[in-house]
Amino acid sequence: MASSPSPSLVDAHGRTIRYLRISVTDRCDLRCRYCMAEKMTFLPRSALLQLEEIAVIAERFIARGVTKIRLSGGEPLVRRDVGELVTRLGRHVGAGLDELTMTTNGTRLAEHAPALFAAGIRRVNVSLDSLDADRFRHITRHGDLTQVLGGIAAAKAAGLAVKINTVALAGLNEDEIPAILRWCVAERHDLSLIETMPLGAIDEDRVDRFVPLTRVFERLEREFDLARDGHRTGGPARYWRVDGSGTRLGLISPLTANFCDGCNRVRLTTEGKLYACLGHDDQVDLKAALRDGGLSALDDAIDEALRIKPRRHDFSIERGATPAVARHMSVTGG
Ligand code: SAM
Ligand code: SF4
């Protein structure tokens, strides 16, 4: 018989899990150079969790104390039935969930923004690594900047707050980051800068593109008045206020500043594996548990993930090394 699960989600290091990130698809309509290889092999559709299974798993997490869910991918808005999922999970906002949110590349945001808002989403993160159309196309391998800016404008018009995510990349956009922050201030977006992480094989060596955010920050400090902000999300970012504006700047520095002590999150992949840490390969198979043993087996599997959640990730980025983790960010949900 299955053991009775502990109602709340506390890991072996005493951290309470309140945040679930879900990769709803590993597919994407872009091929950002730091994220994917040009020729990616995606999972067969038969391997993916069905919408109903994602919803059941998410609802089990809500029942056990998760208060925030982020839908990500891959590109979440390329999954055909994602609207249904958003509507279903949106019903829990204010009734268990404090927040349902999404990370998107923005290409299909114009079409989806009103429905996201109607379902209860209030904030989205949009990835934007350059405001120059040619550079944007180069980094994403074929993205159209106008389309993404249109998506961001539509999101704002629909009532969604937009936070911009920018991965700092040497030789590709490092010199543009002050301009991106200036634009965020003018457009009233928050900005999170991210260090490139060694997740999954790509076509180039990440060492060549890696920029420590300490270097970016020194440059930003020369132009902007930045005041440390105590805002905490239990996540990896440290925050600053850009003086004289409503913009908050976040730095996500997994390589140069470890943030694991306060970690409050777990990640569900497209194929139903629960990773307790982005930087480790240990996982439990929630899809198999749910299909073979129903809700009680699902609870047991979640408990197992809490037992194996490591104390910290051990990312490092070295020339010629194979990535610390073989799976791409798109599988686990960034
Ligand atoms: N497609 C959506 C997007 O781009 O926003 C959601 C998924 S994407 C994997 C989520 C975030 O992860 C994006 O902000 C992206 O820039 C970031 N990302 C992807 N691969 C990364 C890597 N290897 N290191 C750091 N950030 C990465
Ligand atoms: Fe797609 Fe997002 Fe990865 Fe870019 S970062 S390839 S948009 S999943």
Side-chain angles (χ1 to χ4, degrees), residues 28 34-35 72-76 103-105 125-127 129 165 167 194-197 199 206 329-330 334:
C28 188
Y34 54 83
C35 177
S72 183
E75 174 46 40
T103 302
T104 170
N105 63 25
N125 288 2
V126 180
S127 300
D129 299 320
N165 279 353
V167 178
I194 307 172
E195 282 176 355
T196 181
M197 296 175 226
L199 299 173
R206 285 198 176 86
M329 182 85 111
S330 47

mmCIF file with all atom_site columns, all heavy atoms in Angstrom, residues 28 34-35 72-76 103-105 125-127 129 165 167 194-197 199 206 329-330 334, ligand 1:
data_model
loop_
_atom_site.group_PDB
_atom_site.id
_atom_site.type_symbol
_atom_site.label_atom_id
_atom_site.label_alt_id
_atom_site.label_comp_id
_atom_site.label_asym_id
_atom_site.label_entity_id
_atom_site.label_seq_id
_atom_site.pdbx_PDB_ins_code
_atom_site.Cartn_x
_atom_site.Cartn_y
_atom_site.Cartn_z
_atom_site.occupancy
_atom_site.B_iso_or_equiv
_atom_site.pdbx_formal_charge
_atom_site.auth_seq_id
_atom_site.auth_comp_id
_atom_site.auth_asym_id
_atom_site.auth_atom_id
_atom_site.pdbx_PDB_model_num
ATOM   1   N N   . CYS A 1 28  ? 10.050 24.471 -30.321 1.00 0.00 ? 28  CYS A N   1
ATOM   2   C CA  . CYS A 1 28  ? 10.124 25.926 -30.354 1.00 0.00 ? 28  CYS A CA  1
ATOM   3   C C   . CYS A 1 28  ? 10.166 26.391 -31.798 1.00 0.00 ? 28  CYS A C   1
ATOM   4   O O   . CYS A 1 28  ? 10.662 25.679 -32.673 1.00 0.00 ? 28  CYS A O   1
ATOM   5   C CB  . CYS A 1 28  ? 11.376 26.400 -29.614 1.00 0.00 ? 28  CYS A CB  1
ATOM   6   S SG  . CYS A 1 28  ? 11.393 28.197 -29.410 1.00 0.00 ? 28  CYS A SG  1
ATOM   7   N N   . TYR A 1 34  ? 22.341 29.942 -27.882 1.00 0.00 ? 34  TYR A N   1
ATOM   8   C CA  . TYR A 1 34  ? 22.841 29.472 -26.578 1.00 0.00 ? 34  TYR A CA  1
ATOM   9   C C   . TYR A 1 34  ? 21.942 28.389 -25.996 1.00 0.00 ? 34  TYR A C   1
ATOM   10  O O   . TYR A 1 34  ? 22.299 27.748 -25.011 1.00 0.00 ? 34  TYR A O   1
ATOM   11  C CB  . TYR A 1 34  ? 22.919 30.657 -25.597 1.00 0.00 ? 34  TYR A CB  1
ATOM   12  C CG  . TYR A 1 34  ? 21.617 31.394 -25.471 1.00 0.00 ? 34  TYR A CG  1
ATOM   13  C CD1 . TYR A 1 34  ? 20.624 30.946 -24.617 1.00 0.00 ? 34  TYR A CD1 1
ATOM   14  C CD2 . TYR A 1 34  ? 21.343 32.536 -26.244 1.00 0.00 ? 34  TYR A CD2 1
ATOM   15  C CE1 . TYR A 1 34  ? 19.413 31.586 -24.521 1.00 0.00 ? 34  TYR A CE1 1
ATOM   16  C CE2 . TYR A 1 34  ? 20.130 33.184 -26.154 1.00 0.00 ? 34  TYR A CE2 1
ATOM   17  C CZ  . TYR A 1 34  ? 19.173 32.700 -25.300 1.00 0.00 ? 34  TYR A CZ  1
ATOM   18  O OH  . TYR A 1 34  ? 17.964 33.337 -25.218 1.00 0.00 ? 34  TYR A OH  1
ATOM   19  N N   . CYS A 1 35  ? 20.747 28.221 -26.594 1.00 0.00 ? 35  CYS A N   1
ATOM   20  C CA  . CYS A 1 35  ? 19.759 27.295 -26.035 1.00 0.00 ? 35  CYS A CA  1
ATOM   21  C C   . CYS A 1 35  ? 19.722 25.983 -26.801 1.00 0.00 ? 35  CYS A C   1
ATOM   22  O O   . CYS A 1 35  ? 19.736 24.911 -26.200 1.00 0.00 ? 35  CYS A O   1
ATOM   23  C CB  . CYS A 1 35  ? 18.382 27.965 -26.057 1.00 0.00 ? 35  CYS A CB  1
ATOM   24  S SG  . CYS A 1 35  ? 17.019 26.921 -25.482 1.00 0.00 ? 35  CYS A SG  1
ATOM   25  N N   . SER A 1 72  ? 6.349  27.050 -19.240 1.00 0.00 ? 72  SER A N   1
ATOM   26  C CA  . SER A 1 72  ? 7.493  27.429 -20.055 1.00 0.00 ? 72  SER A CA  1
ATOM   27  C C   . SER A 1 72  ? 7.701  26.342 -21.096 1.00 0.00 ? 72  SER A C   1
ATOM   28  O O   . SER A 1 72  ? 6.793  25.594 -21.442 1.00 0.00 ? 72  SER A O   1
ATOM   29  C CB  . SER A 1 72  ? 8.701  27.620 -19.130 1.00 0.00 ? 72  SER A CB  1
ATOM   30  O OG  . SER A 1 72  ? 9.821  28.064 -19.859 1.00 0.00 ? 72  SER A OG  1
ATOM   31  N N   . GLY A 1 73  ? 8.905  26.237 -21.617 1.00 0.00 ? 73  GLY A N   1
ATOM   32  C CA  . GLY A 1 73  ? 9.179  25.227 -22.631 1.00 0.00 ? 73  GLY A CA  1
ATOM   33  C C   . GLY A 1 73  ? 10.669 25.229 -22.931 1.00 0.00 ? 73  GLY A C   1
ATOM   34  O O   . GLY A 1 73  ? 11.471 25.632 -22.071 1.00 0.00 ? 73  GLY A O   1
ATOM   35  N N   . GLY A 1 74  ? 10.977 24.925 -24.154 1.00 0.00 ? 74  GLY A N   1
ATOM   36  C CA  . GLY A 1 74  ? 10.363 25.171 -25.424 1.00 0.00 ? 74  GLY A CA  1
ATOM   37  C C   . GLY A 1 74  ? 9.510  26.441 -25.415 1.00 0.00 ? 74  GLY A C   1
ATOM   38  O O   . GLY A 1 74  ? 9.546  27.223 -24.491 1.00 0.00 ? 74  GLY A O   1
ATOM   39  N N   . GLU A 1 75  ? 8.793  26.603 -26.471 1.00 0.00 ? 75  GLU A N   1
ATOM   40  C CA  . GLU A 1 75  ? 7.907  27.764 -26.523 1.00 0.00 ? 75  GLU A CA  1
ATOM   41  C C   . GLU A 1 75  ? 6.497  27.310 -26.151 1.00 0.00 ? 75  GLU A C   1
ATOM   42  O O   . GLU A 1 75  ? 5.863  26.592 -26.917 1.00 0.00 ? 75  GLU A O   1
ATOM   43  C CB  . GLU A 1 75  ? 7.975  28.395 -27.925 1.00 0.00 ? 75  GLU A CB  1
ATOM   44  C CG  . GLU A 1 75  ? 6.995  29.520 -28.141 1.00 0.00 ? 75  GLU A CG  1
ATOM   45  C CD  . GLU A 1 75  ? 6.954  30.536 -26.988 1.00 0.00 ? 75  GLU A CD  1
ATOM   46  O OE1 . GLU A 1 75  ? 8.005  30.882 -26.425 1.00 0.00 ? 75  GLU A OE1 1
ATOM   47  O OE2 . GLU A 1 75  ? 5.836  30.964 -26.631 1.00 0.00 ? 75  GLU A OE2 1
ATOM   48  N N   . PRO A 1 76  ? 6.008  27.734 -24.979 1.00 0.00 ? 76  PRO A N   1
ATOM   49  C CA  . PRO A 1 76  ? 4.716  27.223 -24.527 1.00 0.00 ? 76  PRO A CA  1
ATOM   50  C C   . PRO A 1 76  ? 3.582  27.526 -25.505 1.00 0.00 ? 76  PRO A C   1
ATOM   51  O O   . PRO A 1 76  ? 2.657  26.732 -25.637 1.00 0.00 ? 76  PRO A O   1
ATOM   52  C CB  . PRO A 1 76  ? 4.501  27.920 -23.171 1.00 0.00 ? 76  PRO A CB  1
ATOM   53  C CG  . PRO A 1 76  ? 5.471  29.050 -23.135 1.00 0.00 ? 76  PRO A CG  1
ATOM   54  C CD  . PRO A 1 76  ? 6.619  28.663 -23.992 1.00 0.00 ? 76  PRO A CD  1
ATOM   55  N N   . THR A 1 103 ? 6.666  31.952 -19.337 1.00 0.00 ? 103 THR A N   1
ATOM   56  C CA  . THR A 1 103 ? 7.839  32.511 -20.009 1.00 0.00 ? 103 THR A CA  1
ATOM   57  C C   . THR A 1 103 ? 7.707  32.180 -21.489 1.00 0.00 ? 103 THR A C   1
ATOM   58  O O   . THR A 1 103 ? 7.485  31.018 -21.846 1.00 0.00 ? 103 THR A O   1
ATOM   59  C CB  . THR A 1 103 ? 9.147  31.895 -19.469 1.00 0.00 ? 103 THR A CB  1
ATOM   60  O OG1 . THR A 1 103 ? 9.213  32.145 -18.065 1.00 0.00 ? 103 THR A OG1 1
ATOM   61  C CG2 . THR A 1 103 ? 10.362 32.529 -20.115 1.00 0.00 ? 103 THR A CG2 1
ATOM   62  N N   . THR A 1 104 ? 7.811  33.171 -22.339 1.00 0.00 ? 104 THR A N   1
ATOM   63  C CA  . THR A 1 104 ? 7.568  32.992 -23.770 1.00 0.00 ? 104 THR A CA  1
ATOM   64  C C   . THR A 1 104 ? 8.579  33.788 -24.582 1.00 0.00 ? 104 THR A C   1
ATOM   65  O O   . THR A 1 104 ? 9.142  34.764 -24.095 1.00 0.00 ? 104 THR A O   1
ATOM   66  C CB  . THR A 1 104 ? 6.124  33.443 -24.129 1.00 0.00 ? 104 THR A CB  1
ATOM   67  O OG1 . THR A 1 104 ? 5.974  33.477 -25.547 1.00 0.00 ? 104 THR A OG1 1
ATOM   68  C CG2 . THR A 1 104 ? 5.795  34.817 -23.573 1.00 0.00 ? 104 THR A CG2 1
ATOM   69  N N   . ASN A 1 105 ? 8.773  33.354 -25.824 1.00 0.00 ? 105 ASN A N   1
ATOM   70  C CA  . ASN A 1 105 ? 9.641  34.148 -26.705 1.00 0.00 ? 105 ASN A CA  1
ATOM   71  C C   . ASN A 1 105 ? 8.866  35.269 -27.386 1.00 0.00 ? 105 ASN A C   1
ATOM   72  O O   . ASN A 1 105 ? 9.449  36.058 -28.131 1.00 0.00 ? 105 ASN A O   1
ATOM   73  C CB  . ASN A 1 105 ? 10.345 33.255 -27.738 1.00 0.00 ? 105 ASN A CB  1
ATOM   74  C CG  . ASN A 1 105 ? 9.374  32.570 -28.690 1.00 0.00 ? 105 ASN A CG  1
ATOM   75  O OD1 . ASN A 1 105 ? 8.275  33.045 -28.924 1.00 0.00 ? 105 ASN A OD1 1
ATOM   76  N ND2 . ASN A 1 105 ? 9.808  31.446 -29.256 1.00 0.00 ? 105 ASN A ND2 1
ATOM   77  N N   . ASN A 1 125 ? 6.990  36.649 -18.669 1.00 0.00 ? 125 ASN A N   1
ATOM   78  C CA  . ASN A 1 125 ? 8.379  36.953 -18.986 1.00 0.00 ? 125 ASN A CA  1
ATOM   79  C C   . ASN A 1 125 ? 8.561  36.748 -20.489 1.00 0.00 ? 125 ASN A C   1
ATOM   80  O O   . ASN A 1 125 ? 8.137  35.718 -21.018 1.00 0.00 ? 125 ASN A O   1
ATOM   81  C CB  . ASN A 1 125 ? 9.332  35.994 -18.267 1.00 0.00 ? 125 ASN A CB  1
ATOM   82  C CG  . ASN A 1 125 ? 9.394  36.263 -16.776 1.00 0.00 ? 125 ASN A CG  1
ATOM   83  O OD1 . ASN A 1 125 ? 8.697  37.137 -16.264 1.00 0.00 ? 125 ASN A OD1 1
ATOM   84  N ND2 . ASN A 1 125 ? 10.222 35.508 -16.082 1.00 0.00 ? 125 ASN A ND2 1
ATOM   85  N N   . VAL A 1 126 ? 9.172  37.722 -21.131 1.00 0.00 ? 126 VAL A N   1
ATOM   86  C CA  . VAL A 1 126 ? 9.426  37.587 -22.568 1.00 0.00 ? 126 VAL A CA  1
ATOM   87  C C   . VAL A 1 126 ? 10.932 37.658 -22.803 1.00 0.00 ? 126 VAL A C   1
ATOM   88  O O   . VAL A 1 126 ? 11.602 38.575 -22.320 1.00 0.00 ? 126 VAL A O   1
ATOM   89  C CB  . VAL A 1 126 ? 8.717  38.704 -23.376 1.00 0.00 ? 126 VAL A CB  1
ATOM   90  C CG1 . VAL A 1 126 ? 8.992  38.534 -24.871 1.00 0.00 ? 126 VAL A CG1 1
ATOM   91  C CG2 . VAL A 1 126 ? 7.215  38.690 -23.116 1.00 0.00 ? 126 VAL A CG2 1
ATOM   92  N N   . SER A 1 127 ? 11.456 36.683 -23.537 1.00 0.00 ? 127 SER A N   1
ATOM   93  C CA  . SER A 1 127 ? 12.891 36.668 -23.819 1.00 0.00 ? 127 SER A CA  1
ATOM   94  C C   . SER A 1 127 ? 13.201 37.598 -24.976 1.00 0.00 ? 127 SER A C   1
ATOM   95  O O   . SER A 1 127 ? 12.547 37.532 -26.015 1.00 0.00 ? 127 SER A O   1
ATOM   96  C CB  . SER A 1 127 ? 13.333 35.259 -24.192 1.00 0.00 ? 127 SER A CB  1
ATOM   97  O OG  . SER A 1 127 ? 13.047 34.426 -23.116 1.00 0.00 ? 127 SER A OG  1
ATOM   98  N N   . ASP A 1 129 ? 16.853 39.181 -26.562 1.00 0.00 ? 129 ASP A N   1
ATOM   99  C CA  . ASP A 1 129 ? 18.304 39.278 -26.398 1.00 0.00 ? 129 ASP A CA  1
ATOM   100 C C   . ASP A 1 129 ? 18.924 40.404 -27.217 1.00 0.00 ? 129 ASP A C   1
ATOM   101 O O   . ASP A 1 129 ? 20.127 40.659 -27.103 1.00 0.00 ? 129 ASP A O   1
ATOM   102 C CB  . ASP A 1 129 ? 18.965 37.934 -26.751 1.00 0.00 ? 129 ASP A CB  1
ATOM   103 C CG  . ASP A 1 129 ? 18.474 36.819 -25.826 1.00 0.00 ? 129 ASP A CG  1
ATOM   104 O OD1 . ASP A 1 129 ? 18.327 37.083 -24.629 1.00 0.00 ? 129 ASP A OD1 1
ATOM   105 O OD2 . ASP A 1 129 ? 18.226 35.707 -26.309 1.00 0.00 ? 129 ASP A OD2 1
ATOM   106 N N   . ASN A 1 165 ? 13.560 39.045 -20.277 1.00 0.00 ? 165 ASN A N   1
ATOM   107 C CA  . ASN A 1 165 ? 14.701 38.188 -19.936 1.00 0.00 ? 165 ASN A CA  1
ATOM   108 C C   . ASN A 1 165 ? 15.759 38.347 -21.020 1.00 0.00 ? 165 ASN A C   1
ATOM   109 O O   . ASN A 1 165 ? 15.455 38.150 -22.200 1.00 0.00 ? 165 ASN A O   1
ATOM   110 C CB  . ASN A 1 165 ? 14.306 36.705 -19.974 1.00 0.00 ? 165 ASN A CB  1
ATOM   111 C CG  . ASN A 1 165 ? 13.596 36.244 -18.720 1.00 0.00 ? 165 ASN A CG  1
ATOM   112 O OD1 . ASN A 1 165 ? 13.484 36.974 -17.748 1.00 0.00 ? 165 ASN A OD1 1
ATOM   113 N ND2 . ASN A 1 165 ? 13.118 35.019 -18.751 1.00 0.00 ? 165 ASN A ND2 1
ATOM   114 N N   . VAL A 1 167 ? 19.689 37.050 -22.004 1.00 0.00 ? 167 VAL A N   1
ATOM   115 C CA  . VAL A 1 167 ? 20.899 36.278 -21.712 1.00 0.00 ? 167 VAL A CA  1
ATOM   116 C C   . VAL A 1 167 ? 22.087 37.104 -22.211 1.00 0.00 ? 167 VAL A C   1
ATOM   117 O O   . VAL A 1 167 ? 22.101 37.538 -23.369 1.00 0.00 ? 167 VAL A O   1
ATOM   118 C CB  . VAL A 1 167 ? 20.857 34.899 -22.413 1.00 0.00 ? 167 VAL A CB  1
ATOM   119 C CG1 . VAL A 1 167 ? 22.144 34.123 -22.154 1.00 0.00 ? 167 VAL A CG1 1
ATOM   120 C CG2 . VAL A 1 167 ? 19.659 34.091 -21.918 1.00 0.00 ? 167 VAL A CG2 1
ATOM   121 N N   . ILE A 1 194 ? 20.664 37.224 -17.514 1.00 0.00 ? 194 ILE A N   1
ATOM   122 C CA  . ILE A 1 194 ? 20.936 35.812 -17.198 1.00 0.00 ? 194 ILE A CA  1
ATOM   123 C C   . ILE A 1 194 ? 22.314 35.427 -17.730 1.00 0.00 ? 194 ILE A C   1
ATOM   124 O O   . ILE A 1 194 ? 22.668 35.783 -18.857 1.00 0.00 ? 194 ILE A O   1
ATOM   125 C CB  . ILE A 1 194 ? 19.860 34.898 -17.862 1.00 0.00 ? 194 ILE A CB  1
ATOM   126 C CG1 . ILE A 1 194 ? 18.443 35.362 -17.487 1.00 0.00 ? 194 ILE A CG1 1
ATOM   127 C CG2 . ILE A 1 194 ? 20.062 33.443 -17.500 1.00 0.00 ? 194 ILE A CG2 1
ATOM   128 C CD1 . ILE A 1 194 ? 17.324 34.645 -18.239 1.00 0.00 ? 194 ILE A CD1 1
ATOM   129 N N   . GLU A 1 195 ? 23.050 34.692 -16.907 1.00 0.00 ? 195 GLU A N   1
ATOM   130 C CA  . GLU A 1 195 ? 24.315 34.113 -17.403 1.00 0.00 ? 195 GLU A CA  1
ATOM   131 C C   . GLU A 1 195 ? 24.006 32.843 -18.178 1.00 0.00 ? 195 GLU A C   1
ATOM   132 O O   . GLU A 1 195 ? 23.145 32.047 -17.760 1.00 0.00 ? 195 GLU A O   1
ATOM   133 C CB  . GLU A 1 195 ? 25.233 33.747 -16.227 1.00 0.00 ? 195 GLU A CB  1
ATOM   134 C CG  . GLU A 1 195 ? 25.949 34.934 -15.629 1.00 0.00 ? 195 GLU A CG  1
ATOM   135 C CD  . GLU A 1 195 ? 26.783 34.553 -14.395 1.00 0.00 ? 195 GLU A CD  1
ATOM   136 O OE1 . GLU A 1 195 ? 26.734 33.387 -13.943 1.00 0.00 ? 195 GLU A OE1 1
ATOM   137 O OE2 . GLU A 1 195 ? 27.462 35.458 -13.874 1.00 0.00 ? 195 GLU A OE2 1
ATOM   138 N N   . THR A 1 196 ? 24.692 32.618 -19.278 1.00 0.00 ? 196 THR A N   1
ATOM   139 C CA  . THR A 1 196 ? 24.448 31.408 -20.062 1.00 0.00 ? 196 THR A CA  1
ATOM   140 C C   . THR A 1 196 ? 24.881 30.187 -19.247 1.00 0.00 ? 196 THR A C   1
ATOM   141 O O   . THR A 1 196 ? 25.909 30.186 -18.583 1.00 0.00 ? 196 THR A O   1
ATOM   142 C CB  . THR A 1 196 ? 25.134 31.495 -21.446 1.00 0.00 ? 196 THR A CB  1
ATOM   143 O OG1 . THR A 1 196 ? 24.845 30.315 -22.166 1.00 0.00 ? 196 THR A OG1 1
ATOM   144 C CG2 . THR A 1 196 ? 26.622 31.683 -21.353 1.00 0.00 ? 196 THR A CG2 1
ATOM   145 N N   . MET A 1 197 ? 24.019 29.170 -19.257 1.00 0.00 ? 197 MET A N   1
ATOM   146 C CA  . MET A 1 197 ? 24.241 27.987 -18.410 1.00 0.00 ? 197 MET A CA  1
ATOM   147 C C   . MET A 1 197 ? 24.557 26.768 -19.274 1.00 0.00 ? 197 MET A C   1
ATOM   148 O O   . MET A 1 197 ? 24.032 26.644 -20.375 1.00 0.00 ? 197 MET A O   1
ATOM   149 C CB  . MET A 1 197 ? 22.975 27.679 -17.600 1.00 0.00 ? 197 MET A CB  1
ATOM   150 C CG  . MET A 1 197 ? 22.607 28.751 -16.621 1.00 0.00 ? 197 MET A CG  1
ATOM   151 S SD  . MET A 1 197 ? 21.034 28.347 -15.819 1.00 0.00 ? 197 MET A SD  1
ATOM   152 C CE  . MET A 1 197 ? 20.189 29.907 -15.931 1.00 0.00 ? 197 MET A CE  1
ATOM   153 N N   . LEU A 1 199 ? 23.696 23.822 -20.322 1.00 0.00 ? 199 LEU A N   1
ATOM   154 C CA  . LEU A 1 199 ? 22.597 22.850 -20.391 1.00 0.00 ? 199 LEU A CA  1
ATOM   155 C C   . LEU A 1 199 ? 22.404 22.393 -21.833 1.00 0.00 ? 199 LEU A C   1
ATOM   156 O O   . LEU A 1 199 ? 21.937 23.163 -22.677 1.00 0.00 ? 199 LEU A O   1
ATOM   157 C CB  . LEU A 1 199 ? 21.302 23.502 -19.909 1.00 0.00 ? 199 LEU A CB  1
ATOM   158 C CG  . LEU A 1 199 ? 21.271 24.009 -18.467 1.00 0.00 ? 199 LEU A CG  1
ATOM   159 C CD1 . LEU A 1 199 ? 19.998 24.784 -18.201 1.00 0.00 ? 199 LEU A CD1 1
ATOM   160 C CD2 . LEU A 1 199 ? 21.374 22.844 -17.502 1.00 0.00 ? 199 LEU A CD2 1
ATOM   161 N N   . ARG A 1 206 ? 30.034 27.263 -25.290 1.00 0.00 ? 206 ARG A N   1
ATOM   162 C CA  . ARG A 1 206 ? 29.439 28.345 -24.494 1.00 0.00 ? 206 ARG A CA  1
ATOM   163 C C   . ARG A 1 206 ? 30.497 29.243 -23.848 1.00 0.00 ? 206 ARG A C   1
ATOM   164 O O   . ARG A 1 206 ? 30.227 30.399 -23.538 1.00 0.00 ? 206 ARG A O   1
ATOM   165 C CB  . ARG A 1 206 ? 28.525 27.771 -23.410 1.00 0.00 ? 206 ARG A CB  1
ATOM   166 C CG  . ARG A 1 206 ? 27.201 27.261 -23.962 1.00 0.00 ? 206 ARG A CG  1
ATOM   167 C CD  . ARG A 1 206 ? 26.169 27.104 -22.867 1.00 0.00 ? 206 ARG A CD  1
ATOM   168 N NE  . ARG A 1 206 ? 24.865 26.711 -23.398 1.00 0.00 ? 206 ARG A NE  1
ATOM   169 C CZ  . ARG A 1 206 ? 24.493 25.461 -23.643 1.00 0.00 ? 206 ARG A CZ  1
ATOM   170 N NH1 . ARG A 1 206 ? 25.328 24.481 -23.404 1.00 0.00 ? 206 ARG A NH1 1
ATOM   171 N NH2 . ARG A 1 206 ? 23.299 25.197 -24.120 1.00 0.00 ? 206 ARG A NH2 1
ATOM   172 N N   . MET A 1 329 ? 17.654 23.351 -21.736 1.00 0.00 ? 329 MET A N   1
ATOM   173 C CA  . MET A 1 329 ? 16.747 24.144 -20.894 1.00 0.00 ? 329 MET A CA  1
ATOM   174 C C   . MET A 1 329 ? 15.303 23.966 -21.384 1.00 0.00 ? 329 MET A C   1
ATOM   175 O O   . MET A 1 329 ? 14.357 23.990 -20.591 1.00 0.00 ? 329 MET A O   1
ATOM   176 C CB  . MET A 1 329 ? 17.162 25.611 -21.003 1.00 0.00 ? 329 MET A CB  1
ATOM   177 C CG  . MET A 1 329 ? 16.380 26.545 -20.174 1.00 0.00 ? 329 MET A CG  1
ATOM   178 S SD  . MET A 1 329 ? 17.027 26.613 -18.520 1.00 0.00 ? 329 MET A SD  1
ATOM   179 C CE  . MET A 1 329 ? 17.688 28.245 -18.461 1.00 0.00 ? 329 MET A CE  1
ATOM   180 N N   . SER A 1 330 ? 15.124 23.790 -22.700 1.00 0.00 ? 330 SER A N   1
ATOM   181 C CA  . SER A 1 330 ? 13.783 23.697 -23.272 1.00 0.00 ? 330 SER A CA  1
ATOM   182 C C   . SER A 1 330 ? 13.029 22.458 -22.801 1.00 0.00 ? 330 SER A C   1
ATOM   183 O O   . SER A 1 330 ? 11.805 22.407 -22.837 1.00 0.00 ? 330 SER A O   1
ATOM   184 C CB  . SER A 1 330 ? 13.884 23.682 -24.799 1.00 0.00 ? 330 SER A CB  1
ATOM   185 O OG  . SER A 1 330 ? 14.877 22.754 -25.200 1.00 0.00 ? 330 SER A OG  1
ATOM   186 N N   . GLY A 1 334 ? 12.759 26.721 -18.806 1.00 0.00 ? 334 GLY A N   1
ATOM   187 C CA  . GLY A 1 334 ? 13.722 27.710 -18.262 1.00 0.00 ? 334 GLY A CA  1
ATOM   188 C C   . GLY A 1 334 ? 13.096 28.574 -17.203 1.00 0.00 ? 334 GLY A C   1
ATOM   189 O O   . GLY A 1 334 ? 11.905 28.556 -16.987 1.00 0.00 ? 334 GLY A O   1
HETATM 190 N N1  . SAM B 2 .   ? 10.854 29.866 -25.263 1.00 0.00 ? 1   SAM B N1  1
HETATM 191 C C1  . SAM B 2 .   ? 10.596 30.643 -24.103 1.00 0.00 ? 1   SAM B C1  1
HETATM 192 C C2  . SAM B 2 .   ? 11.561 31.794 -23.989 1.00 0.00 ? 1   SAM B C2  1
HETATM 193 O O1  . SAM B 2 .   ? 12.542 31.820 -24.722 1.00 0.00 ? 1   SAM B O1  1
HETATM 194 O O2  . SAM B 2 .   ? 11.310 32.656 -23.160 1.00 0.00 ? 1   SAM B O2  1
HETATM 195 C C3  . SAM B 2 .   ? 10.604 29.838 -22.826 1.00 0.00 ? 1   SAM B C3  1
HETATM 196 C C4  . SAM B 2 .   ? 11.649 28.799 -22.663 1.00 0.00 ? 1   SAM B C4  1
HETATM 197 S S1  . SAM B 2 .   ? 13.321 29.390 -22.578 1.00 0.00 ? 1   SAM B S1  1
HETATM 198 C C5  . SAM B 2 .   ? 14.189 27.880 -22.340 1.00 0.00 ? 1   SAM B C5  1
HETATM 199 C C6  . SAM B 2 .   ? 13.306 30.169 -20.987 1.00 0.00 ? 1   SAM B C6  1
HETATM 200 C C7  . SAM B 2 .   ? 14.473 31.072 -20.692 1.00 0.00 ? 1   SAM B C7  1
HETATM 201 O O3  . SAM B 2 .   ? 15.646 30.300 -20.639 1.00 0.00 ? 1   SAM B O3  1
HETATM 202 C C8  . SAM B 2 .   ? 14.704 32.154 -21.734 1.00 0.00 ? 1   SAM B C8  1
HETATM 203 O O4  . SAM B 2 .   ? 14.771 33.396 -21.093 1.00 0.00 ? 1   SAM B O4  1
HETATM 204 C C9  . SAM B 2 .   ? 16.030 31.789 -22.333 1.00 0.00 ? 1   SAM B C9  1
HETATM 205 O O5  . SAM B 2 .   ? 16.734 32.932 -22.724 1.00 0.00 ? 1   SAM B O5  1
HETATM 206 C C10 . SAM B 2 .   ? 16.697 31.046 -21.211 1.00 0.00 ? 1   SAM B C10 1
HETATM 207 N N2  . SAM B 2 .   ? 17.725 30.083 -21.628 1.00 0.00 ? 1   SAM B N2  1
HETATM 208 C C11 . SAM B 2 .   ? 17.642 29.098 -22.543 1.00 0.00 ? 1   SAM B C11 1
HETATM 209 N N3  . SAM B 2 .   ? 18.781 28.375 -22.597 1.00 0.00 ? 1   SAM B N3  1
HETATM 210 C C12 . SAM B 2 .   ? 19.616 28.910 -21.688 1.00 0.00 ? 1   SAM B C12 1
HETATM 211 C C13 . SAM B 2 .   ? 20.940 28.626 -21.259 1.00 0.00 ? 1   SAM B C13 1
HETATM 212 N N4  . SAM B 2 .   ? 21.630 27.628 -21.760 1.00 0.00 ? 1   SAM B N4  1
HETATM 213 N N5  . SAM B 2 .   ? 21.486 29.407 -20.294 1.00 0.00 ? 1   SAM B N5  1
HETATM 214 C C14 . SAM B 2 .   ? 20.778 30.446 -19.755 1.00 0.00 ? 1   SAM B C14 1
HETATM 215 N N6  . SAM B 2 .   ? 19.514 30.759 -20.108 1.00 0.00 ? 1   SAM B N6  1
HETATM 216 C C15 . SAM B 2 .   ? 18.935 30.009 -21.068 1.00 0.00 ? 1   SAM B C15 1
#
